[in-house]
Amino acid sequence: MSTIRRLQTDVAIVGGGIVGSSAALALRRMGLDVVLLERDLCGSRSSGVNFGGVRRQGRPLSQLPLAQRAHAIWGRLPELLGTDGEYIRSGHFKIARSESDMASLERYRALSSDFDLGLELISAARLREQCPWLGTRAVGGSLCVEDGQANPRLVSPAFALAAQRAGAQIFERHHVDEVAHDGAVFMVRSGNELEVQAPVLLNCAGAWAGTIASQFGEAPPLRSRSPVMAVTEPVPHFMTWSLGVEGGGIYCRQVARGNLVLGGGTGITLDADRARVDRDAIATLAMQAVELLPALRHAHFIRTWGGTEGYLPDRQPVLGPSRTTRGLFHGFGFSGAGFQIGPAAGEVLAELARDGRSSTPIEAFAIERFEPAPAPVSASVPAAHPH
Ligand SMILES: Cc1cc2nc3c(=O)[nH]c(=O)nc-3n(C[C@H](O)[C@H](O)[C@H](O)COP(=O)(O)OP(=O)(O)OC[C@H]3O[C@@H](n4cnc5c(N)ncnc54)[C@H](O)[C@@H]3O)c2cc1C
């Protein structure tokens, strides 16, 4: 008969995506003990299968402080993780397909001017000259030279590995099925194998975070959706920028090997764990791709895929303290855009665990925006401190 293994730690984390893993790394760098439980492999969900866009341009202004913090972390990947994860500051170009789209890019540049994104508006004439490979519908656009792209299959697991090297205890293939709180300490159970006790719990369970939140009487309106992705066979290299379109739709980037990675549309969510691409969405993506980049006319898709991502109605994450339980902090619902800000969200969660507050503004991401705050369930859980 197996006996359950019991561990005590400063901070327990549920979920080893880029958010949970970077929180684990930041906590170890602060000197706190941390145990992370991941039911699959770290970085195997949204964080490892996403498009790989590392962009600040186009984010709501309320996300820009977090995005700027993340930008600095991305610049230090080799030092932090021991790999660059194929991260390059290739530039992110947002295409305008009408004068009104161009006007909205101009407005965004003015509104975001405090954040030093270095946005540069490019006219139709200059675009024709500089990017002869672009289809005819572009009337101009906005370039963020220092935004870029990375390989999510490398970057996200690397955060977990770096955290482990720094001393975090990471348990993969450990599904958290029960979380209890006795007023002072969380008990996080994975079957009959492991129980982790900690005064602080970080809920970084991605699209599944609502299950953890509901155990503490919280019901954020989190919904799963699956963005559709495709990659072509390698074609001669012609594009360094990562491309997006104002108003949404297709986005694409070309990797060093020549393949074009494309995204757009939504697939089918089969159940809580499985998502599939939708045939119609792939057909639409293929047509949009050829319209945007005529060089792709004869290119084949060699793979299509999706991934399960948690969305909130206002497309902003929940990042901050629980409204019911002291010591519980949430970081989920990144709504299709958490890869770039994930490492900063992890640092913020580590600060919340240690100090109870964040040095980056996160008010816009409070869970209270969905439900008014009741009286706390427990009032005496201290923030974690290093042993
Ligand atoms: C196809 C696609 C394309 C995207 N493109 C981009 C992009 O280009 N740029 C960008 O910025 N963002 C993009 N995103 C969004 C980005 O990938 C996510 O917002 C980000 O990865 C979320 O990270 P996370 O750690 O919160 O979630 P996840 O990576 O989903 O990690 C959560 C983890 O929690 C684990 N877990 C859940 N429940 C439990 C449990 N009970 N016990 C133990 N473990 C549990 C899961 O197995 C999972 O590994 C995209 C997302 C998708 C799906």
Side-chain angles (χ1 to χ4, degrees), residues 66-77 80 87 89 340:
L66 203 56
Q68 288 296 71
R69 184 169 180 171
H71 185 64
I73 301 172
W74 281 96
R76 293 167 47 222
L77 284 196
L80 282 172
Y87 170 61
R89 291 190 169 163
Q340 192 272 345

Side-chain angles (χ1 to χ4, degrees), residues 34 183 221 232 251 258 271 312 340:
V34 54
T232 71
Y251 38 100
D271 57 33
L312 287 159
Q340 192 272 345

Side-chain angles (χ1 to χ4, degrees), residues 15 18-19 38-39 46-47 50-51 53 176 309 334 336-340:
I18 196 163
V19 176
E38 162 57 49
R39 63 165 185 194
S46 266
S47 298
N50 64 57
F51 168 67
V176 171
E309 169 76 343
F334 288 86
F339 186 52
Q340 192 272 345

Side-chain angles (χ1 to χ4, degrees), residues 13-21 37-55 59 152 156 171 174-178 190 203-209 211-212 225-229 251 253 305-311 331-342:
I13 301 177
V14 185
I18 196 163
V19 176
S21 300
L37 292 95
E38 162 57 49
R39 63 165 185 194
D40 294 321
L41 297 174
C42 289
S44 60
R45 294 297 181 143
S46 266
S47 298
V49 301
N50 64 57
F51 168 67
V54 185
R55 93 183 143 77
R59 287 181 183 273
S156 297
F171 293 88
H174 277 71
H175 186 280
V176 171
D177 13 61
E178 197 187 331
S190 177
N203 176 13
C204 305
W208 305 270
T211 311
I212 307 284
R225 280 177 54 194
S226 169
V228 166
M229 300 285 121
Y251 38 100
R253 64 190 183 95
W305 73 98
T308 305
E309 169 76 343
Y311 286 79
F332 62 78
F334 288 86
S335 305
F339 186 52
Q340 192 272 345
I341 52 175

Side-chain angles (χ1 to χ4, degrees), residues 266-285:
T266 306
I268 302 164
T269 306
L270 293 179
D271 57 33
D273 287 330
R274 294 176 306 153
R276 295 284 179 275
V277 295
D278 176 61
R279 211 184 299 175
D280 291 342
I282 288 293
T284 306
L285 188 59

Side-chain angles (χ1 to χ4, degrees), residues 180-374:
H181 189 236
D182 67 2
V185 170
F186 293 92
M187 273 85 54
V188 182
R189 295 265 305 220
S190 177
N192 290 323
E193 277 180 62
L194 184 64
E195 182 181 286
V196 181
Q197 300 185 353
V200 174
L201 175 65
L202 305 183
N203 176 13
C204 305
W208 305 270
T211 311
I212 307 284
S214 68
Q215 295 184 39
F216 296 94
E218 297 180 280
L222 187 65
R223 299 280 172 272
S224 291
R225 280 177 54 194
S226 169
V228 166
M229 300 285 121
V231 62
T232 71
E233 62 191 331
V235 299
H237 210 279
F238 63 91
M239 181 173 87
T240 51
W241 294 340
S242 184
L243 291 187
V245 171
E246 174 60 12
I250 185 172
Y251 38 100
C252 60
R253 64 190 183 95
Q254 186 171 27
V255 302
R257 293 171 289 279
N259 313 72
L260 269 289
V261 185
L262 300 122
T266 306
I268 302 164
T269 306
L270 293 179
D271 57 33
D273 287 330
R274 294 176 306 153
R276 295 284 179 275
V277 295
D278 176 61
R279 211 184 299 175
D280 291 342
I282 288 293
T284 306
L285 188 59
M287 284 188 302
Q288 289 176 331
V290 172
E291 182 187 83
L292 189 68
L293 304 170
L296 294 186
R297 188 167 304 279
H298 301 295
H300 291 106
F301 284 159
I302 55 172
R303 192 162 76 89
T304 61
W305 73 98
T308 305
E309 169 76 343
Y311 286 79
L312 287 159
D314 56 4
R315 291 194 161 235
Q316 298 266 40
V318 164
L319 180 63
S322 151
R323 71 184 173 85
T324 62
T325 311
R326 285 193 65 191
L328 172 62
F329 299 97
H330 300 298
F332 62 78
F334 288 86
S335 305
F339 186 52
Q340 192 272 345
I341 52 175
E347 280 194 358
V348 161
L349 286 163
E351 285 179 348
L352 289 169
R354 185 188 59 182
D355 309 327
R357 59 195 163 76
S358 158
S359 61
T360 301
I362 53 167
E363 291 73 24
F365 316 130
I367 197 166
E368 281 86 357
R369 71 190 193 271
F370 299 116
E371 296 166 61

